[in-house]
Amino acid sequence: MSIRIFIPIDSGALSVGAEDVAQAIAAEAATRGLDIEVVRNGSRGLYWLEPLVEVDTHAGRLAFGPVAPEDVPALFDAGFHEGGMHRLGHGLTEHIPFLAGQERLTFRRVGITDPLSLADYEAHGGFEGLLKAVGLDGAAIVKEVTDSGLRGRGGAAFPTGIKWNTVLHAAGPDKYVVCNADEGDSGTFSDRMLMEGDPYCLIEGMTIAGLAVGARHGYIYLRSEYPHAFHTLQQAIARAREAGWLGSDVAGSGRSFELEVRLGAGAYVCGEETAMLESLEGKRGIVRFKPPLPAIQGLFGKPTVINNVMSLAAVPLILARGAAFYRDYGMGRSHGTLPFQLAGNLRHPGLVEKAFGITLRELLLDYGGGSASGRPIRAVQVGGPLGAYVPESQFDVPLDYEAYAAMGAMIGHGGLVAFDDTADMARLARYAMEFCATESCGKCTPCRIGSTRGVEVIDRIIADENRDANLALLDSLCDTMLNGSLCALGGMAPYPVKSALTHFPQDFGIAPVTAE
Amino acid sequence: MPGTSVSPANLAAIQAVVERHRGQAGALLPILHAIQDDLGWVPPEAIPVIAAALNQSRAEIHGVVSFYHHFRTSPPGRHVVQVCRAESCQAKGGVALEEHAKRSLGIDWHQTTPDGAVSLEPVYCLGNCACSPAIRVGDEILGRVSCARFDRVIEGLREEVPA
């Protein structure tokens, strides 16, 4: 029997040489006359170990990494393909603490299966949710999702079931399901990992959404920065259609659902749902006024469900295992799990799926292993470029939508970017305004003009020109942007700025306020 | 090296792309992507062809082309290299990499080296934040890019014989 060796085809693993490693292993095995089968899986999300090579043994999969092509002969010499020891070995993959402590629901297959194999997908619980949904009417599917407590994972945390219910009851024969895969926040990569590592999960979730609300057409709006995900999704859709999971007769239900991937074109603001709809319609990605809500008048003016990749990918399991199963994870009104993404200056960056309620300290230290540089972690930006900089004093606040909102921060898409004590917070605050200026759609004045003025005011504060007056001006400008912008881009860009000012005033040349 | 106008063959390619996609709902972005994939940029000659096919004004088409960072209105070098400027890369030495890229290539953002080998573009996140800092070369993403690795990549690109 041949030996199965897993080498990821995830773009993160490829970015650090997984393709060369795969070729080296195949060549070395051929030279030695060994019968091996190489499976190209998704990433396990232990990125500091990528390229992570796994060998299937009777005891489970053994992990070796990070493997470079020049390590390959020595690995074979050590008999790694027969469970032999080598300095790059980490024992059973599932027992690596980073992975062992996780609660992987949405990511339960990612890194384990061959992403494009329908047989693998079905062998690991795939399509169970869809087959359950096929036997239910729309209202019953919506009720299951509502009862699960699932909230939008894109950042706004709106209850998914309530959104679906609005579309279900909206009039008209033409409705759409749109997946927002414009994962533009720095520090986030969970959507990419899932689309590359388990694309059928997203396809299944979207199809269930289509059955639930009565939509026959779905679009995945994917950012153009994800070429690998684009190719994987296109192949997966073609295979799913061929196998009857998509098309005119979904799973023998007699109902139809078609799915298409559309590429964005490098505009961050198109992650805002109404700008995304404009872009899908072939226009400039300009934010729309709300109301009307997209659930009533969305894509091409029709009722439209818009959900993030992570929200839709959670749905198959909710249908398969029931609302209560999912709801039991988490705390307060934040139910289920969130795939947190550990990025920036960390020793062990990667993906950690955990129930809500975990703290930043646990994520950064227990999972992330502290900073990569070995210096103290000074600040963590949570929730992307519009998220607040959280100082060490707030690392013990549980990650829960409400608890974060209460301290003027947001969990967003679950991205964490850690900075060590060499970070210049004034420069990062300036960057937040600069980014907003670059990416503003230009429709509303607070965002379009405010962001440019913000860069200028911060420059003057840093240069100590009339500092007190400029600080007052910056405060007023942030207030205008927060309350007067049309969407979250201008409306939240002040978060990183204000949090940097509040927690790290010395970086702006201001003496810290000491407690009385 | 293409100039500012397109050859008859390229114009025919543009027309073929437009014909292929015009029936699609929201066809404009797919059309622009297909043109740029074929030619490396969106030449001004494409605008009236698209406008006529989609029954829109040239201004509307131009407005869309100019809105999106991805679409180029001038021909790129043989290779487009994007360097990530976003926060996660900044936390891992990305700012130094940006400076190194500009200095070693002798160009600024949106410019092409005099030998026509490399066009340098900023990008805001490649979704490779667990392997920061990251760059993109064509459709390939590269992670943990030190200044030395950047130089090796560029050297390799320069050695590639133009097709």
Side-chain angles (χ1 to χ4, degrees):
Chain A
M1 207 180 94
S2 68
I3 304 154
R4 275 160 51 101
I5 298 183
F6 295 82
I7 308 164
I9 196 159
D10 167 276
S11 62
L14 293 175
S15 83
V16 290
E19 189 59 41
D20 291 344
V21 171
Q23 286 178 14
I25 285 178
E28 191 68 28
T31 307
R32 293 171 189 244
L34 294 170
D35 181 19
I36 64 160
E37 180 198 352
V38 172
V39 180
R40 304 304 298 270
N41 54 336
S43 171
R44 294 275 198 161
L46 288 67
Y47 278 101
W48 75 100
L49 295 179
E50 292 288 2
L52 179 80
V53 176
E54 290 176 273
V55 178
D56 209 6
T57 71
H58 63 277
R61 279 156 67 161
L62 294 172
F64 297 86
V67 177
E70 48 274 24
D71 297 322
V72 170
L75 280 166
F76 276 101
D77 288 344
F80 90 119
H81 54 292
E82 292 159 337
M85 305 285 275
H86 184 274
R87 66 179 171 83
L88 293 175
H90 303 278
L92 291 169
T93 315
E94 302 283 348
H95 290 180
I96 297 174
F98 186 91
L99 204 53
Q102 298 198 28
E103 294 159 295
R104 288 207 166 181
L105 302 184
T106 302
F107 276 75
R108 65 199 180 282
R109 276 178 300 264
V110 176
I112 293 172
T113 55
D114 170 351
L116 287 173
S117 163
L118 279 163
D120 255 15
Y121 186 66
E122 288 175 60
H124 289 81
F127 294 122
E128 282 174 14
L130 178 56
L131 289 171
K132 183 95 53 99
V134 161
L136 300 173
D137 67 2
I141 302 173
V142 170
K143 183 174 186 307
E144 203 64 27
V145 173
T146 307
D147 290 348
S148 75
L150 178 66
R151 294 164 70 179
R153 297 289 188 249
F158 188 82
T160 305
I162 292 177
K163 196 186 270 186
W164 287 20
N165 199 47
T166 307
V167 180
L168 171 65
H169 290 104
D174 293 325
K175 298 174 184 180
Y176 294 100
V177 176
V178 175
C179 171
N180 185 343
D182 194 48
E183 184 178 49
D185 291 350
S186 175
T188 65
F189 46 83
S190 60
D191 294 356
R192 178 189 62 68
M193 275 183 72
L194 185 112
M195 291 185 288
E196 292 177 354
D198 194 20
Y200 296 121
C201 182
L202 175 59
I203 292 170
E204 184 181 353
M206 289 186 74
T207 309
I208 292 170
L211 294 177
V213 303
R216 294 191 303 265
H217 206 116
Y219 289 96
I220 299 170
Y221 185 85
L222 178 73
R223 61 199 303 257
S224 57
E225 289 84 351
Y226 285 1
H228 294 274
F230 181 62
H231 294 302
T232 305
L233 283 171
Q234 280 193 313
Q235 290 180 59
I237 288 170
R239 291 186 189 200
R241 186 178 294 126
E242 195 151 309
W245 296 108
L246 286 172
S248 56
D249 182 19
V250 171
S253 65
R255 288 183 275 176
S256 80
F257 190 71
E258 290 291 348
L259 195 51
E260 215 181 302
V261 193
R262 288 288 179 91
L263 275 183
Y268 177 77
V269 74
C270 289
E272 195 285 332
E273 61 178 6
T274 61
M276 178 182 68
L277 295 177
E278 291 287 299
S279 184
L280 272 173
E281 292 180 8
K283 302 173 192 159
R284 292 161 69 91
I286 305 278
V287 173
R288 293 179 185 171
F289 286 106
K290 284 192 276 194
L293 293 171
I296 309 289
Q297 270 181 48
L299 187 64
F300 304 116
K302 307 295 183 193
T304 304
V305 165
I306 303 173
N307 284 131
N308 179 259
V309 177
M310 288 297 111
S311 316
L312 289 162
V315 166
L317 187 73
I318 290 168
L319 266 289
R321 304 286 289 271
F325 170 79
Y326 193 78
R327 195 184 172 84
D328 284 347
Y329 289 87
M331 67 174 279
R333 293 200 292 121
S334 303
H335 297 283
T337 58
L338 186 67
F340 293 98
Q341 300 123 83
L342 276 50
N345 198 329
L346 289 175
R347 256 180 78 208
H348 297 164
L351 185 117
V352 179
E353 183 172 353
K354 284 292 281 183
F356 287 94
I358 191 171
T359 66
L360 267 190
R361 197 179 300 280
E362 292 171 81
L363 283 169
L364 297 169
L365 301 182
D366 299 351
Y367 288 91
S371 76
S373 59
R375 306 178 68 96
I377 295 175
R378 187 170 190 222
V380 180
Q381 190 175 32
V382 182
L386 310 176
Y389 284 103
V390 178
E392 208 259 334
S393 61
Q394 295 179 332
F395 283 1
D396 295 311
V397 176
L399 282 145
D400 157 274
Y401 289 125
E402 279 65 41
Y404 258 60
M407 68 178 206
M410 60 142 188
I411 296 177
H413 192 50
L416 316 176
V417 179
F419 291 84
D420 72 10
D421 63 352
T422 61
D424 178 346
M425 302 309 294
R427 199 180 53 73
L428 286 164
R430 182 192 191 278
Y431 172 85
M433 284 292 189
E434 185 194 351
F435 177 74
C436 182
T438 305
E439 297 298 332
S440 175
C441 84
K443 183 159 179 164
C444 72
T445 317
C447 175
R448 182 184 69 244
I449 308 285
S451 53
T452 298
R453 294 290 96 86
V455 172
E456 296 164 359
V457 174
I458 293 173
D459 278 342
R460 289 200 292 270
I461 291 169
I462 294 171
D464 198 14
E465 282 175 40
N466 219 350
R467 187 171 278 151
D468 287 345
N470 277 305
L471 280 168
L473 196 59
L474 181 61
D475 201 48
S476 161
L477 177 68
C478 285
D479 182 61
T480 303
M481 290 177 72
L482 271 167
N483 295 298
S485 298
L486 202 49
C487 82
L489 179 48
M492 292 179 60
Y495 279 6
V497 176
K498 294 196 72 153
S499 57
L501 254 175
T502 305
H503 302 299
F504 308 99
Q506 61 277 27
D507 288 26
F508 295 80
I510 308 160
V513 182
T514 47
E516 295 278 309
Chain B
M1 189 75 202
T4 47
S5 66
V6 298
S7 67
N10 284 348
L11 197 59
I14 290 168
Q15 277 157 343
V17 162
V18 171
E19 280 310 311
R20 197 161 67 237
H21 290 281
R22 63 186 294 175
Q24 237 177 326
L28 185 49
L29 262 69
I31 287 174
L32 294 173
H33 273 295
I35 291 173
Q36 184 153 310
D37 287 349
D38 278 359
L39 307 179
W41 63 305
V42 180
E45 288 85 348
I47 307 284
V49 179
I50 302 169
L54 300 185
N55 197 23
Q56 287 185 288
S57 71
R58 282 178 293 166
E60 284 171 300
I61 308 300
H62 174 77
V64 171
V65 173
S66 61
F67 180 85
Y68 294 96
H69 302 305
H70 178 81
F71 297 125
R72 304 186 61 94
T73 52
S74 62
R78 291 194 297 281
H79 304 279
V80 176
V81 174
Q82 294 181 314
V83 178
C84 181
R85 293 197 62 206
E87 289 88 344
S88 179
C89 289
Q90 290 186 41
K92 291 276 286 172
V95 177
L97 182 65
E98 287 173 37
E99 293 309 317
H100 176 79
K102 291 190 210 171
R103 200 173 46 243
S104 63
L105 293 170
I107 52 175
D108 204 343
W109 299 127
H110 313 296
Q111 294 180 347
T112 301
T113 53
D115 64 354
V118 175
S119 295
L120 186 65
E121 299 289 341
V123 67
Y124 297 91
C125 196
L126 294 164
N128 198 25
C129 319
C131 300
S132 293
I135 67 171
R136 176 176 174 177
V137 180
D139 272 354
E140 205 182 335
I141 315 287
L142 301 175
R144 298 181 203 145
V145 181
S146 60
C147 293
R149 185 174 185 204
F150 182 86
D151 291 344
R152 284 197 301 277
V153 170
I154 297 296
E155 207 174 307
L157 296 179
R158 285 209 156 113
E159 279 167 10
E160 259 176 52
V161 183

